[in-house]
Amino acid sequence: MERFFHQVVVWLMRTFYGFLVFLIVLGGYWYVHPRVFIGGFDFVNPFYQTSMAHFPGWLPVVKYLIGLFIVTSVVILVLVLFFVKRQNEAEKIKKQYNDKIVPLFFSVVYHDDSYSAEGHEAAIKTLRKLINDELSKHLFLTLISQVHAQTTGIVKEKTESLFRAMRCKEWLNWNLHSPVKLRQLFAMKVVAEFHLVEYSKDVSLLLKKKNYILRSEAIETLLRLHINETLLLLTGLKFALDPWNINMIIKIAIESREQDLEYGLLIRQDVADISALGITLARLNHQKELKSVIRPKLDVDNVLVKDEAVLAWIDFAESRSDYVLLIERFEVVSEKVQKKILKTLISCSDQTLAIDFLKRIVETKPVSLKIVALICLLDLDLNVVQTYENSEDALIRQSYLQVISF
Amino acid sequence: MGVSSWVRFLNDLFFIYACSLFSMYTLIGVLSIFELRRYKNKNRNIDYKSMLSFYKLPSVSVIAPAYNEQMTIIENIKCLITLQYPDFEVIIVNDGSKDNTLATIIDYFDLVKVDRAYELQVPCAPIRGVYKATNPAYSHLFVIDKENGGKADALNAGINVARNELFLGIDVDSIIEPDAILKMVKPFIDDQKHIVIASGGVIRVANSCEVTDGKISKVAFPANMWAKFQVLEYFRAFTLGRMAWSRLNGLLIISGAFGLFDRKRVIKVGGYDKTTVGEDFELVVRLRRYMHEVEKKRYRVAFIPDPLCWTEVPESYRILSRQRNRWTRGAIDTILKHKKMMLNPKYGLIGMLSFPNWVLFEWLAPIIQAVGLVYTAIILSFGFDNAEVMITLLLFILTFSIMYSLFAIFFEAYTFHKYRGMGYVIQSILFVFLEMLFYQPLNMYFSLTGNFDFFFRKKKKGWGTMTRTGFSKKKQ
């Protein structure tokens, strides 16, 4: 029903704007024409100025526009006053929320067991009475979600029971099924924080929306509800993920502490973002046994996948051949990954291989890499580093000085 | 053609110019609404602090040139080193200050001179030394001491010494919101379709605001008359103008006081131009040219409407006139340097709309305005035309300007609502009217002198010294 009313309001607004434009055009027409013909009827234009013939042709238009600007200015002024008043009222609600609702909320959530059942009931009743407008409800849901997310044990349980006692699900339903995107976004955040799996279906529906923001939030929420199933769902997505989404997915996956993810399936995907995501998750969850699955990704063209594969290889490197593979791919990865390759060479069992490569970097690469290579060489062989003290290359000497002085 | 025909012709010409100007402003107003709505919808529920634990974020170097800032430098550095971001360094560039700026920083943060290797990738005056704090709490603070070379030169020195992927160029005396870097970096990681080469942010007027520990603790509408005018001006320029150009991906300027750039691309284009006083404007134009001429990839210059940077604006006629004069000279210099872009379809919307807008409605507007006023006076004095025509034209301009300024105030009240109370609203509305009679003509005069100085006096580039009272002192 609310969706229907929302559509009605939207169309009423559109009609209103259309009518306004029509009025403006009609007004302009009336101002510059002595007579107006509508449906075969001939009207004398009362706004027409007979004196206009003595002036430039555009003068009546200008006069009309001046009138329009004045009227618009007055409307804007009224709107300014309206919004300032509304903001002031919101400030008052926020003040009441901070002064009364927040302390009461914490007294309910953090009270010890001596707090009587009657007192508890009374507090909840008072909370219900105080939280009677949309802003307070919004603030309260935000607070209870945050406390729920950041606490454990008895406090977490109490937020859950308070969530039920305050009939928050009613507000949540209303927000989640509202046609207003902002409300849907807000509801999804609460669903995720309270891990309300019963809303999975509703959230899944939002995945199909055209709106990028709704889709992103739906992915995040579903990930928090069912990490593995949602990760698999990503493989069939018809839209690309951006680095923000990827970061969020990694963050949620790591926070979930779920180890048994379908890494292999993700890594093998042709979509670069998903494949890179799978490699990252495998690396961060120390899935060394997936080396064979990652190996082919070291040679793909996509920089994102290649970088992630090399980073995983750095973490899983053991034998000399692993380090050789890394050295061979040094030139084709980003500078950040290059620095990590250099740093990992300290652990290479074949010191000659590592030192020779690091020396090459010191002698041929930009300062930022020279410095990292020299720091690594300091760990491997101080004598090699000292050979650069009197290098003919000023940048190598500078880098040497920086490494020694630090 | 008789005199009256000439008068009619000129009247028509002024009318067409005014209409084009107002159409452009109307377009800006409408576009800014759409862009702000999009931004708000996208970011309202974002928890920026979650970015702090992101796996992959670009590293940032904050570069702040300082020249004779001993009075405020410590508070400002405190503000910068406490910014929220997982991977950033702060580089203060002492551009050969004549006061005790360097000694003050060294003493307070217990700095020692270190050998930091760097490549001279963009031109800058000789660097005398790089300093680093011995206290691990300030391990991300570096101070470069260099010979004086101007702001652009100091920024270039910072770019050379910096190591990170992005750099945030700021005025050291600005107050930056704690989550500013997080918000500025977001466009770099959430745009699927474009390469983001830079992002700019809104600058707000900090005069009369209370500052505690390098952070704005209470926002107040300025007490000083000049600052009040500039608040309105900043509303129009940042909240409306830059938002609208950002919507079109046609933004040509990112304020030198606060802008985040892709460091590698800035190095590729040669860094800041030391020969101009409008180095911020010039860099963005050059970066855009480079993207069109060399990389030829889809790119974007982003803009963040959240008030993230607060700065002290001039509070006297003398300093204001100097600042505006410098801005005008910088704009002309950049326009002339890149005149090739004007109405050149090769540069897409930049060449066909943004650049012509700068030429016609930013550079030439004050000149045409002045000519118009003189013309009106002559016409009326000699009775060449009916006074009604001239007064109507004048009213046309005044009423539109008032409407546009009121719209900017409305926009602020509707969106960020940083200034509170009815007092501010009444004052700002009053200043909208005063501005028409008093401030706008003065601004026009400053621009005219800027034009004159650029073409006839060839004024030297410089820091455009501004006497600052210092936030912390003000609070006492």
Side-chain angles (χ1 to χ4, degrees):
Chain A
M1 199 61 176
E2 200 211 348
R3 190 172 291 272
F4 171 73
F5 278 121
H6 179 75
Q7 286 300 321
V8 172
V9 170
V10 167
W11 277 105
L12 277 176
M13 293 280 279
R14 283 176 187 166
T15 316
F16 172 72
Y17 289 134
F19 184 64
L20 211 64
V21 172
F22 171 73
L23 275 184
I24 291 167
V25 174
L26 190 72
Y29 181 79
W30 272 9
Y31 206 76
V32 293
H33 290 83
R35 308 193 78 80
V36 182
F37 301 95
I38 300 173
F41 292 97
D42 180 6
F43 299 97
V44 174
N45 182 1
F47 302 106
Y48 176 70
Q49 289 191 353
T50 47
S51 58
M52 72 171 265
H54 305 292
F55 297 115
W58 43 258
L59 197 67
V61 181
V62 173
K63 283 185 178 176
Y64 170 68
L65 285 175
I66 290 171
L68 194 67
F69 295 160
I70 292 170
V71 172
T72 314
S73 298
V74 173
V75 172
I76 293 173
L77 255 178
V78 173
L79 283 174
V80 169
L81 295 175
F82 169 75
F83 277 107
V84 170
K85 193 169 171 282
R86 203 176 76 164
Q87 297 281 10
N88 289 345
E89 279 165 9
E91 291 295 322
K92 272 185 204 160
I93 293 172
K94 276 183 192 165
K95 194 175 180 308
Q96 176 188 293
Y97 168 81
N98 284 325
D99 294 348
K100 292 181 183 167
I101 298 172
V102 175
L104 200 56
F105 166 79
F106 282 112
S107 78
V108 172
V109 172
Y110 285 104
H111 77 78
D112 55 33
D113 290 336
S114 60
Y115 199 61
S116 71
E118 292 81 30
H120 187 76
E121 265 306 305
I124 289 173
K125 266 187 188 166
T126 317
L127 273 176
R128 275 194 203 138
K129 208 173 152 187
L130 287 171
I131 303 169
N132 52 8
D133 57 275
E134 205 183 327
L135 180 62
S136 304
K137 283 177 187 174
H138 185 96
L139 292 169
F140 180 75
L141 266 179
T142 309
L143 177 69
I144 195 170
S145 306
Q146 282 171 350
V147 173
H148 182 267
Q150 287 164 14
T151 53
T152 50
I154 192 123
V155 176
K156 201 176 189 83
E157 284 167 22
K158 278 181 182 166
T159 53
E160 280 164 12
S161 79
L162 184 62
F163 187 81
R164 283 191 296 274
M166 291 297 291
R167 296 178 200 131
C168 292
K169 277 195 181 175
E170 284 174 24
W171 306 339
L172 201 59
N173 274 324
W174 183 71
N175 277 297
L176 195 60
H177 298 115
S178 159
V180 182
K181 286 182 204 88
L182 281 173
R183 288 196 191 132
Q184 289 176 317
L185 289 170
F186 172 66
M188 281 194 277
K189 281 246 183 283
V190 179
V191 167
E193 297 292 10
F194 273 93
H195 210 266
L196 301 169
V197 284
E198 62 269 33
Y199 287 100
S200 305
K201 240 182 189 175
D202 301 287
V203 179
S204 300
L205 286 175
L206 296 174
L207 256 188
K208 291 170 191 157
K209 293 274 178 187
K210 276 185 190 168
N211 186 287
Y212 156 81
I213 306 153
L214 272 180
R215 275 189 338 222
S216 292
E217 193 64 44
I219 292 176
E220 282 176 33
T221 309
L222 286 174
L223 277 166
R224 287 189 198 275
L225 297 180
H226 324 272
I227 181 82
N228 221 348
E229 289 91 322
T230 313
L231 279 176
L232 292 178
L233 200 72
L234 295 179
T235 59
L237 284 184
K238 286 181 180 136
F239 52 86
L241 297 169
D242 60 33
W244 174 275
N245 295 138
I246 302 277
N247 266 308
M248 230 1 151
I249 294 168
I250 294 169
K251 183 176 149 61
I252 295 167
I254 299 301
E255 280 170 4
S256 77
R257 293 182 188 167
E258 177 71 54
Q259 292 287 316
D260 299 326
L261 302 172
E262 293 284 352
Y263 305 103
L265 201 66
L266 293 171
I267 296 169
R268 285 190 200 97
Q269 285 297 309
D270 291 333
V271 183
D273 295 332
I274 306 293
S275 181
L277 173 70
I279 300 170
T280 311
L281 289 176
R283 177 170 79 85
L284 296 174
N285 283 328
H286 315 291
Q287 303 292 316
K288 230 177 201 176
E289 61 277 13
L290 289 164
K291 266 176 91 173
S292 58
V293 185
I294 296 170
R295 173 67 185 82
K297 300 290 176 184
L298 287 171
D299 299 316
V300 296
D301 289 334
N302 186 284
V303 185
L304 183 71
V305 180
K306 201 198 294 273
D307 269 11
E308 286 308 321
V310 170
L311 282 173
W313 211 258
I314 290 170
D315 278 14
F316 303 154
E318 284 165 335
S319 62
R320 184 183 184 276
S321 60
D322 289 339
Y323 290 99
V324 172
L325 267 177
L326 289 174
I327 289 173
E328 282 170 1
R329 272 140 196 91
F330 186 83
E331 296 296 338
V332 290
V333 293
S334 64
E335 194 183 318
K336 250 188 181 174
V337 181
Q338 285 180 329
K339 285 180 184 170
K340 292 209 168 151
I341 293 179
L342 296 179
K343 283 176 190 163
T344 201
L345 285 176
I346 298 172
S347 324
C348 179
S349 51
D350 184 350
Q351 287 211 353
T352 321
L353 173 81
I355 291 172
D356 285 349
F357 183 68
L358 290 168
K359 278 168 73 179
R360 205 172 82 210
I361 299 299
V362 173
E363 282 150 26
T364 58
K365 294 290 172 191
V367 165
S368 53
L369 290 174
K370 280 186 205 303
I371 290 165
V372 180
L374 279 167
I375 291 169
C376 297
L377 278 171
L378 262 183
D379 271 0
L380 292 170
D381 190 344
L382 184 64
N383 293 330
V384 177
V385 179
Q386 278 174 338
T387 59
Y388 294 115
E389 188 177 2
N390 300 313
S391 168
E392 284 178 11
D393 185 335
L395 285 176
I396 296 180
R397 281 201 313 275
Q398 267 190 43
S399 307
Y400 166 83
L401 281 172
Q402 174 175 335
V403 170
I404 295 296
S405 69
F406 269 75
Chain B
M1 214 154 69
V3 176
S4 62
S5 305
W6 270 107
V7 167
R8 280 216 157 189
F9 172 71
L10 286 173
N11 281 349
D12 287 352
L13 221 57
F14 280 119
F15 175 66
I16 290 167
Y17 180 79
C19 282
S20 333
L21 181 70
F22 295 167
S23 305
M24 186 55 88
Y25 279 133
T26 309
L27 180 73
I28 284 173
V30 173
L31 287 173
S32 60
I33 294 174
F34 285 115
E35 181 60 9
L36 200 78
R37 213 180 122 193
R38 183 164 73 174
Y39 178 82
K40 281 275 183 187
N41 281 344
K42 193 172 176 182
N43 298 296
R44 194 187 299 237
N45 282 331
I46 293 285
D47 174 17
Y48 284 96
K49 290 211 170 66
S50 67
M51 283 172 76
L52 293 171
S53 53
F54 269 11
Y55 160 74
K56 228 186 211 177
L57 275 181
S59 51
V60 176
S61 297
V62 179
I63 304 176
Y67 180 69
N68 294 345
E69 303 276 358
Q70 74 172 73
M71 206 161 83
T72 57
I73 193 79
I74 299 301
E75 278 296 312
N76 298 131
I77 294 178
K78 275 188 196 168
C79 164
L80 295 178
I81 55 177
T82 52
L83 289 174
Q84 296 164 354
Y85 199 71
D87 185 7
F88 80 108
E89 61 181 1
V90 175
I91 299 174
I92 308 294
V93 188
N94 176 46
D95 190 39
S97 297
K98 286 174 188 155
D99 64 358
N100 284 325
T101 302
L102 182 67
T104 309
I105 309 173
I106 290 175
D107 284 351
Y108 190 88
F109 292 99
D110 205 8
L111 304 181
V112 287
K113 199 171 182 178
V114 291
D115 294 295
R116 176 147 161 150
Y118 58 89
E119 278 170 275
L120 207 65
Q121 300 181 86
V122 288
C124 71
I127 293 175
R128 294 191 281 236
V130 178
Y131 295 80
K132 193 178 187 297
T134 48
N135 184 344
Y138 308 131
S139 62
H140 56 312
L141 171 67
F142 295 90
V143 176
I144 299 173
D145 181 33
K146 65 179 277 289
E147 284 173 18
N148 182 263
K151 190 179 167 186
D153 191 80
L155 282 162
N156 280 349
I159 292 169
N160 284 327
V161 172
R163 291 277 157 74
N164 292 334
E165 293 153 87
L166 307 175
F167 80 87
L168 179 71
I170 61 158
D171 281 351
V172 75
D173 43 42
S174 301
I175 302 286
I176 311 287
E177 292 284 333
D179 57 356
I181 306 182
L182 293 170
K183 287 184 174 171
M184 294 284 276
V185 164
K186 190 169 177 274
F188 284 85
I189 59 165
D190 76 353
D191 197 323
Q192 293 166 304
K193 296 173 188 160
H194 302 88
I195 297 169
V196 177
I197 56 167
S199 72
V202 166
I203 313 283
R204 285 294 175 92
V205 174
N207 303 47
S208 300
C209 290
E210 274 180 24
V211 178
T212 318
D213 293 331
K215 292 181 181 69
I216 296 280
S217 51
K218 192 182 170 193
V219 177
F221 195 56
N224 178 276
M225 176 191 74
W226 297 102
K228 280 178 185 165
F229 285 129
Q230 286 169 88
V231 168
L232 296 177
E233 205 178 15
Y234 277 46
F235 280 173
R236 282 194 304 263
F238 286 98
T239 322
L240 296 183
R242 295 197 189 170
M243 272 318 275
W245 286 111
S246 163
R247 172 82 182 188
L248 295 172
N249 191 13
L251 196 63
L252 275 184
I253 185 164
I254 283 181
S255 173
F258 191 56
L260 187 67
F261 295 87
D262 178 335
R263 184 172 152 261
K264 280 216 166 123
R265 284 199 170 85
V266 170
I267 289 171
K268 275 182 189 163
V269 300
Y272 284 93
D273 184 351
K274 300 192 314 179
T275 62
T276 181
V277 282
E279 70 285 334
D280 43 4
F281 181 24
E282 203 280 334
L283 178 67
V284 180
V285 177
R286 195 146 34 89
L287 271 171
R288 281 197 177 271
R289 255 186 97 165
Y290 165 79
M291 291 306 288
H292 279 278
E293 291 171 2
V294 183
E295 288 202 21
K296 294 177 181 160
K297 287 179 187 157
R298 290 185 77 178
Y299 75 97
R300 189 163 77 93
V301 174
F303 187 74
I304 311 296
D306 288 301
L308 298 176
C309 174
W310 298 79
T311 193
E312 224 182 327
V313 298
E315 289 195 341
S316 72
Y317 173 87
R318 193 172 55 88
I319 298 169
L320 182 72
S321 69
R322 229 163 34 193
Q323 185 196 53
R324 298 307 154 105
N325 184 298
R326 196 174 71 245
W327 286 3
T328 306
R329 283 184 287 129
I332 303 169
D333 199 17
T334 304
I335 287 168
L336 295 181
K337 270 184 182 158
H338 299 280
K339 55 183 180 291
K340 185 189 168 191
M341 294 173 86
M342 179 78 177
L343 294 174
N344 189 340
K346 185 181 159 188
Y347 299 98
L349 187 119
I350 304 295
M352 299 306 287
L353 193 66
S354 297
F355 205 85
N357 174 67
W358 263 93
V359 175
L360 282 173
F361 304 131
E362 298 287 342
W363 174 24
L364 295 180
I367 299 171
I368 294 172
Q369 208 180 339
V371 172
L373 282 176
V374 174
Y375 168 76
T376 308
I378 293 170
I379 293 292
L380 291 179
S381 316
F382 292 94
F384 285 136
D385 205 352
N386 194 314
E388 191 181 340
V389 178
M390 307 314 288
I391 290 166
T392 309
L393 256 181
L394 208 65
L395 270 176
F396 179 53
I397 294 163
L398 282 178
T399 48
F400 182 86
S401 307
I402 288 169
M403 181 185 76
Y404 192 69
S405 294
L406 287 175
F407 181 67
I409 295 172
F410 161 71
F411 220 58
E412 160 65 13
Y414 178 62
T415 53
F416 297 107
H417 191 57
K418 281 284 173 187
Y419 299 103
R420 304 286 162 95
M422 279 294 169
Y424 139 72
V425 177
I426 293 162
Q427 277 196 69
S428 52
I429 291 168
L430 178 75
F431 271 79
V432 165
F433 290 93
L434 283 177
E435 190 188 30
M436 297 301 132
L437 307 169
F438 182 58
Y439 186 70
Q440 293 287 11
L442 268 180
N443 244 342
M444 181 187 74
Y445 169 71
F446 298 149
S447 292
L448 290 177
T449 54
N451 272 278
F452 182 80
D453 289 346
F454 181 85
F455 288 108
F456 303 109
R457 280 199 194 155
K458 298 282 174 197
K459 260 196 179 183
K460 277 186 185 173
K461 66 188 174 65
W463 270 83
T465 319
M466 180 173 146
T467 315
R468 301 199 185 261
T469 48
F471 297 112
S472 46
K473 192 180 171 190
K474 194 181 288 173
K475 202 189 167 211
Q476 285 156 21

